[in-house]
Amino acid sequence: MHDLHSERMSGSETRAAGGLALVFAFRMLGMFMILPVMATYGMDLAGATPALIGLAIGAYGLTQALLQIPFGVLSDRIGRRPVIYVGLLIFAAGAVLAANADSIWGVIAGRVLQGAGAISAAVMALLSDLTREQHRTKAMAMIGMSIGLSFAVAMVAGPLLTRAFGLSGLFWTTAGMALLGLLIVAGFVPRAAGHLQHRESGVAKQALLPTLRHPDLLRLNLGIFVLHAILMASFIALPLALVGQAGLPKEEHWWVYLTALLVGFFGMVPFIIYAEKRRQMKRVLLGAVAVLLGCELFFWQFGSSLQTLLLGTVVFFTAFNLLEASLPSLISKVAPAGGKGTAMGVYSTSQFLGAALGGILGGWLFQHYGLSGVFLGCAALALLWLAFAVTMREPPYVTSLRLPLSAAALADAGLAERLQAVPGVADAMVVADEAVIYIKVDTQQLDRTSLERLIEPAPATC
């Protein structure tokens, strides 16, 4: 059996991972750059009210949530690239529509259309087609990092670009980045020899119902739903608090977000290391949700000066970054063998629905109850999450493997059951039409020799 970490990524794998990470980053930049500026600059648009500003911020989440899984399934049928090209063109068209809008409704329509370019699942599937098994986790991590980085850049670039070119300039930049992403896929990302059927990176219909019934996956889906609802709602209140309560001109907000994101990023690292190394993920998750709840109450009670708002925002982003990084890792651990792709599809849909609800709810609360209403509403959401998260079990600390099987091994009806008896194997599932077995193992307890003896008939190809 081959060593899963022996060789380096090939040149074409590096190009695929790097190119697709850039496509993700450009698209996410376009989604996120509006967050820090819409509440302050959007009020100049005809017909703007706080509730409609909230709808403009969250609207993309509705179409993104609806189309995310169907676009992934479509990419299995007609190919990854056509779906990605069409998705990026739809996204660019939405940005152009918003750039030319002179009313809040035009911007909302543009954001709805942007969200309809739901290519995340197709990009992940193309990445699976272009990378070998032993490097896929690394490639997925590159995309994860690009999303985190694009969020950080967006918080700073959004206010700076809007200050220089206005809201329409921001949307034109977004359209340009989508087209640049299209050129990267067309010219830089290598061609795939064919589709890889892969249950870890795509949605499998058979796994959908068990995923929706899985109690701990449901808790994690509620978590990402609430996290993004709080983020969107907070970004209606925070920019307005910085202007109204702290007297900081909207052109200067970028340095507050830059400070908060930098400190927040380095602040979360020790907690992530502690959670993984000491196997204390539940404790760290609960702590971060409690801190998020505390931040919203702190904003409500003390958010009247620049110093307190800056302090609260720094702590808020430390907790937010920690949760944003931990939740996908928890999904990977908790999802059954061969079910990670489906679990991540449902998780992403929950995330976008949360973003939609947060924008709409935050705008409505501000219109009717002011800043206090938004902060207390976010605190209530965090409290709801905490109540559900307390009851989750400590996750299994396992790694997913996907190993090829020979015809003889495939014909062995009891293979999965015997594998589950091997010390350190938490779950196993044979998928005949892929000629592979998906296994979840605890690397600290795994009896590697017994595992290899059982799967020895497999050809050592990846």
Side-chain angles (χ1 to χ4, degrees):
M1 201 162 106
H2 54 290
D3 182 354
L4 289 167
H5 303 286
S6 57
E7 46 189 318
R8 291 179 163 194
M9 286 174 89
S10 68
S12 71
E13 284 175 319
T14 308
R15 271 173 53 207
L20 293 174
L22 271 177
V23 171
F24 244 104
F26 287 157
R27 199 167 140 274
M28 289 299 172
L29 256 177
M31 290 294 193
F32 290 142
M33 281 195 301
I34 193 176
L35 278 188
V37 297
M38 193 65 206
T40 46
Y41 286 86
M43 288 308 285
D44 298 336
L45 290 162
T49 65
L52 291 177
I53 292 284
L55 181 57
I57 285 176
Y60 83 93
L62 289 170
T63 39
Q64 189 86 15
L66 282 172
L67 295 172
Q68 156 103 348
I69 291 175
F71 266 41
V73 173
L74 187 64
S75 82
D76 290 337
R77 296 248 175 88
I78 66 167
R80 319 292 188 210
R81 283 171 187 271
V83 169
I84 293 169
Y85 293 151
V86 169
L88 286 169
L89 286 171
I90 291 171
F91 183 82
V96 170
L97 180 61
N100 287 305
D102 49 13
S103 77
I104 188 69
W105 287 107
V107 171
I108 290 168
R111 290 286 280 173
V112 168
L113 193 54
Q114 274 188 316
I119 58 166
S120 309
V123 171
M124 286 303 198
L126 181 59
L127 187 70
S128 290
D129 294 346
L130 292 168
T131 49
R132 285 166 298 163
E133 194 64 47
Q134 64 266 42
H135 300 306
R136 200 156 293 130
T137 307
K138 216 183 305 176
M140 300 273 185
M142 284 172 72
I143 285 194
M145 283 163 60
S146 80
I147 295 171
L149 192 61
S150 68
F151 179 74
V153 171
M155 292 299 102
V156 180
L160 289 174
L161 274 169
T162 313
R163 181 169 82 172
F165 306 109
L167 265 184
S168 68
L170 184 72
F171 283 118
W172 280 116
T173 307
T174 300
M177 286 191 299
L179 296 176
L180 191 56
L182 201 150
L183 291 175
I184 289 170
V185 178
F188 183 75
V189 174
R191 301 264 154 192
H195 289 349
L196 178 71
Q197 274 196 301
H198 199 320
R199 292 173 66 110
E200 297 286 72
S201 61
V203 173
K205 290 193 192 85
Q206 315 91 301
L208 203 50
L209 210 56
T211 300
L212 293 171
R213 285 183 180 151
H214 194 297
D216 281 338
L217 286 177
L218 284 174
R219 285 185 186 89
L220 295 171
N221 291 329
L222 173 76
I224 195 65
F225 176 88
V226 169
L227 185 64
H228 278 256
I230 289 174
L231 178 72
M232 295 295 163
S234 296
F235 264 110
I236 288 165
L238 280 176
L240 294 171
L242 285 169
V243 172
Q245 312 271 65
L248 186 70
K250 58 189 178 185
E251 294 78 16
E252 301 295 320
H253 288 193
W254 64 272
W255 67 260
V256 173
Y257 302 128
L258 179 62
T259 308
L261 281 158
L262 281 176
V263 177
F265 176 76
F266 290 109
M268 75 162 179
V269 174
F271 295 103
I272 286 193
I273 293 168
Y274 169 75
E276 287 283 0
K277 289 272 186 282
R278 295 291 174 86
R279 303 197 161 194
Q280 293 287 350
M281 288 199 81
K282 180 181 175 181
R283 179 185 288 182
V284 169
L285 178 90
L286 292 176
V289 178
V291 169
L292 214 55
L293 168 60
C295 283
E296 296 296 340
L297 294 174
F298 178 81
F299 286 137
W300 166 58
Q301 204 57 47
F302 304 107
S304 53
S305 72
L306 184 55
Q307 288 83 353
T308 53
L309 282 169
L310 178 60
L311 174 66
T313 308
V314 166
V315 178
F316 176 89
F317 272 115
T318 306
F320 174 83
N321 287 337
L322 180 56
L323 289 162
E324 186 80 352
S326 305
L327 285 168
S329 166
L330 280 163
I331 290 275
S332 299
K333 288 174 167 55
V334 170
K340 189 170 86 175
T342 308
M344 286 306 293
V346 175
Y347 171 86
S348 294
T349 301
S350 307
Q351 175 180 327
F352 292 123
L353 282 173
L357 173 93
I360 294 163
L361 183 67
W364 184 85
L365 284 171
F366 180 75
Q367 188 160 323
H368 291 90
Y369 304 104
L371 288 172
S372 295
V374 182
F375 293 134
L376 285 173
C378 288
L381 282 172
L383 188 61
L384 172 77
W385 182 7
L386 197 57
F388 277 92
V390 164
T391 58
M392 79 180 247
R393 292 168 298 182
E394 189 67 48
Y397 289 85
V398 290
T399 305
S400 299
L401 302 178
R402 177 181 184 268
L403 303 171
L405 292 177
S406 67
L410 276 172
D412 181 350
L415 179 62
E417 286 71 24
R418 285 205 306 284
L419 274 171
Q420 286 183 41
V422 172
V425 174
D427 195 7
M429 179 191 194
V430 173
V431 180
D433 53 354
E434 293 178 42
V436 296
I437 185 162
Y438 290 95
I439 316 175
K440 305 202 80 161
V441 298
D442 183 333
T443 48
Q444 287 185 13
Q445 297 172 8
L446 180 64
D447 180 350
R448 191 100 200 184
T449 320
S450 302
L451 181 70
E452 291 183 14
R453 201 177 297 126
L454 281 172
I455 311 186
E456 200 52 61
T461 56
C462 246

